[in-house]
Amino acid sequence: MAENVKMHAVQYERYGGGPAGLKHVDLPIPTPNKDEVLVKLEATSLNPFDWKVQKGMIRPLLPRKFPHIPALDVAGEVVRLGSDVKNFKTGDKVVAMLNPTSGGGLAEFAVARESLTVARPTEVSAAEGAGLPVAALTAHQALAQSAGIKLDRTGNQANILITAASGGVGHYAVQLAKLGNTHVTATCGARNIEFVKSLGADEVLDYKTQDGAALNSPSGRKYDAVIHCASGIPWSTFEPNLSANGKVIDITPGPSALLTFALKKLTFSKKQLVPLILIPKSEHLNYLVQLVKERKLKTVIDSKHPLNKAEDAWAKSIDGHATGKIIVEP
């Protein structure tokens, strides 16, 4: 690959601006560090995290510097190796989660750390693989670690509630929860009720109805864990629906969630609010890719957009009504 070859990328130069703040540029193809691989991208998936960074909701932590190429979830082909890379060779198909401090997914090429890159079998398309990193890892961590659900059905039966179950994290959470010994209640909009049932949910509530807003299980169950993928639901709505030791695992904890978490700890309440901060691990990502290969987990694709129309994908993510994952393809 010639050193002076340019690639198409999409970046923003300051906080704010939404889709209109994205700029199409030609940049040098990045060079991998010794522990990185250079990937020719075939698919990138967007997450709400991406536009929240642009809005300045994670400042001063991210982005580290402007201009910033957003998006972290990618799939493609390894085209160059850093000097210390052991487990990959050029030509390998992979799925990777990029470093949040540097981003880089909305481009034709990106560098990924070997430690967060996994092989992608031929049975898993680039788009299916790209959907997984942030969203499916979040769902997996919430269920397998925070909620303690054994995804091989060996654990005790648990009642789980999943809010915003038709979205990126939610649609994976429903499917993963059903790999465990669980009864799943889910909330979503009216148009997605049949879709969420098709993912395996045992009962589905329209969040705009009275029972849906109150999170009442149609079969009268109390929830052992809530995988909370929506926003704007106060603790007082969750609390009466929780079992004695019930937990609400909040995947997008804001200041009020962190305050509730602290207060529940102070009062020694058995009911807990647990803020989830994703700690990505390659073995978990590999496990999820294998589940897709075995058709035990599916990435539902809301829409696909070419890189030269990345603004459309960005706007769709901000709108917040995507069913499954939004994919951008170079």
Side-chain angles (χ1 to χ4, degrees), residues 168-212:
V169 177
H171 94 283
Y172 287 129
V174 172
Q175 297 176 75
L176 290 170
K178 290 309 294 178
L179 297 176
N181 185 11
T182 61
H183 180 280
V184 172
T185 306
T187 70
C188 63
R191 70 189 173 93
N192 282 319
I193 287 175
E194 291 309 314
F195 165 65
V196 172
K197 282 184 181 162
S198 77
L199 298 174
D202 298 287
E203 44 190 31
V204 185
L205 293 161
D206 172 357
Y207 74 94
K208 289 192 170 156
T209 61
Q210 195 171 353
D211 277 340

Side-chain angles (χ1 to χ4, degrees), residues 253-268:
S256 67
L258 297 170
L259 184 65
T260 302
F261 171 65
L263 289 172
K264 292 284 142 201
K265 282 277 188 229
L266 285 173
T267 57
F268 303 106

Side-chain angles (χ1 to χ4, degrees), residues 91-123:
D92 284 352
K93 299 285 191 179
V94 294
V95 174
M97 180 174 159
L98 305 181
N99 186 337
T101 56
S102 47
L106 285 186
E108 291 178 297
F109 294 84
V111 289
R113 285 182 292 197
E114 181 182 27
S115 60
L116 275 179
T117 302
V118 301
R120 173 167 63 87
T122 50
E123 297 89 342

Side-chain angles (χ1 to χ4, degrees), residues 3-277:
E3 290 302 321
N4 58 358
V5 177
K6 296 283 179 96
M7 68 170 184
H8 178 190
V10 176
Q11 64 185 26
Y12 54 85
E13 287 155 5
R14 61 184 68 84
Y15 289 118
L22 300 179
K23 302 278 182 273
H24 292 264
V25 291
D26 288 317
L27 297 173
I29 291 172
T31 303
N33 291 326
K34 60 185 183 182
D35 61 344
E36 293 177 327
V37 292
L38 177 66
V39 181
K40 184 176 196 289
L41 301 185
E42 295 168 30
T44 298
S45 85
L46 295 184
N47 295 286
F49 174 86
D50 301 322
W51 54 261
K52 288 177 179 178
V53 172
Q54 184 200 29
K55 270 182 93 167
M57 290 165 79
I58 307 170
R59 74 169 91 178
L61 298 176
L62 295 173
R64 282 279 168 85
K65 61 182 195 293
F66 292 111
H68 178 71
I69 302 173
L72 307 179
D73 293 358
V74 300
E77 181 178 322
V78 174
V79 289
R80 190 184 291 175
L81 307 173
S83 57
D84 290 354
V85 171
K86 304 277 189 295
N87 297 319
F88 296 98
K89 60 187 187 304
T90 56
D92 284 352
K93 299 285 191 179
V94 294
V95 174
M97 180 174 159
L98 305 181
N99 186 337
T101 56
S102 47
L106 285 186
E108 291 178 297
F109 294 84
V111 289
R113 285 182 292 197
E114 181 182 27
S115 60
L116 275 179
T117 302
V118 301
R120 173 167 63 87
T122 50
E123 297 89 342
V124 180
S125 74
E128 288 174 314
L132 293 170
V134 168
L137 282 172
T138 298
H140 178 269
Q141 186 176 319
L143 286 158
Q145 287 157 303
S146 305
I149 302 297
K150 294 186 165 54
L151 302 185
D152 57 4
R153 293 190 183 272
T154 57
N156 296 330
Q157 162 119 43
N159 293 321
I160 305 285
L161 171 68
I162 298 167
T163 61
S166 57
V169 177
H171 94 283
Y172 287 129
V174 172
Q175 297 176 75
L176 290 170
K178 290 309 294 178
L179 297 176
N181 185 11
T182 61
H183 180 280
V184 172
T185 306
T187 70
C188 63
R191 70 189 173 93
N192 282 319
I193 287 175
E194 291 309 314
F195 165 65
V196 172
K197 282 184 181 162
S198 77
L199 298 174
D202 298 287
E203 44 190 31
V204 185
L205 293 161
D206 172 357
Y207 74 94
K208 289 192 170 156
T209 61
Q210 195 171 353
D211 277 340
L215 306 177
N216 292 330
S217 158
S219 56
R221 289 160 199 263
K222 299 288 186 204
Y223 309 120
D224 301 306
V226 179
I227 312 300
H228 182 32
C229 308
S231 55
I233 301 176
W235 173 256
S236 56
T237 304
F238 289 117
E239 215 224 5
N241 291 297
L242 296 175
S243 63
N245 296 307
K247 293 179 176 175
V248 176
I249 297 144
D250 191 344
I251 68 157
T252 54
S256 67
L258 297 170
L259 184 65
T260 302
F261 171 65
L263 289 172
K264 292 284 142 201
K265 282 277 188 229
L266 285 173
T267 57
F268 303 106
S269 166
K270 287 203 165 75
K271 298 181 181 183
Q272 292 285 333
L273 181 90
V274 182
L276 184 137
I277 307 297

